[in-house]
Amino acid sequence: MTISIIVAIAQNYAIGKNNQLLWHMPKDLKHFKEITSGRTIIMGRKTYESVGKPLPNRRNIVVTRQDIEIPGCEVVKSINEGLELCKGEDEVFIGGGAEIYRQAMDITDRIYLTIIHKDFEADTFFPEIDYSKWDEASREYNEPDEKNPLPYSFITLNRR
């Protein structure tokens, strides 16, 4: 099974503030949907709460220490417990937030990274990437347009 992180970060590794995204980039949302549709996504409770509902056409696994039920989701206590439920799947996605990303970095095989080419003020950051441990498989730079106000790049990194 390939364990893949999927994330959009600012140049300064910012990913959120007050449990909300820092930008609205429809092309990145479409990219996220195309990559994860029909697959399993593991996310933390706070990320789930910021989305507000299970992501459609995906198996949603939510990691939390709380003893709760979330309709349309499987609830687990750890990333490893979530991964145990995914035995036999070819690729499983880690979808945030910061603490879940931090815990998953050492076991991740691939990172689908969107970099928004701007620094943002934030209270939540993605862990710094040690690029010496990763090979860049692809990179696509995109200029801003009428719906996507900032320049951004889609990058795929595979663990060396």
Side-chain angles (χ1 to χ4, degrees):
M1 168 178 27
T2 300
I3 300 169
S4 298
I5 282 176
I6 187 160
V7 64
I9 68 172
Q11 288 177 152
N12 61 337
Y13 286 84
I15 59 173
K17 186 171 183 180
N18 299 322
N19 209 27
Q20 297 297 315
L21 294 176
L22 300 168
W23 48 76
H24 180 68
M25 300 285 286
K27 282 240 177 94
D28 180 54
L29 295 173
K30 182 179 182 215
H31 180 70
F32 176 90
K33 184 178 178 182
E34 286 172 354
I35 290 171
T36 62
S37 280
R39 306 292 182 96
T40 298
I41 187 151
I42 298 173
M43 69 188 101
R45 178 189 50 80
K46 290 179 188 172
T47 297
Y48 171 80
E49 288 173 352
S50 76
V51 175
K53 63 181 195 270
L55 295 168
N57 195 29
R58 277 154 279 211
R59 180 182 186 189
N60 290 256
I61 298 176
V62 177
V63 178
T64 180
R65 290 183 293 268
Q66 296 180 359
D67 190 19
I68 57 174
E69 288 187 21
I70 302 171
C73 299
E74 295 166 76
V75 178
V76 296
K77 300 285 186 201
S78 69
I79 294 170
N80 285 338
E81 187 181 334
L83 292 170
E84 281 294 316
L85 297 176
C86 301
K87 290 238 188 282
E89 295 184 32
D90 60 341
E91 188 171 22
V92 175
F93 292 90
I94 306 294
E99 180 60 20
I100 299 296
Y101 287 137
R102 189 188 64 70
Q103 290 177 25
M105 278 301 275
D106 289 341
I107 61 169
T108 295
D109 304 299
R110 181 174 298 135
I111 301 174
Y112 295 94
L113 179 66
T114 301
I115 296 180
I116 308 298
H117 297 289
K118 180 180 174 179
D119 288 345
F120 281 82
E121 185 182 314
D123 59 18
T124 310
F125 295 85
F126 190 76
E128 195 161 324
I129 298 169
D130 178 353
Y131 284 96
S132 71
K133 296 179 179 179
W134 301 91
D135 288 322
E136 189 173 300
S138 65
R139 178 183 291 257
E140 176 191 326
Y141 177 79
N142 298 275
E143 290 286 349
D145 60 36
E146 64 282 346
K147 291 184 179 174
N148 299 276
L150 302 165
Y152 59 100
S153 295
F154 295 136
I155 302 166
T156 303
L157 302 172
N158 292 319
R159 185 174 295 281
R160 291 199 164 142

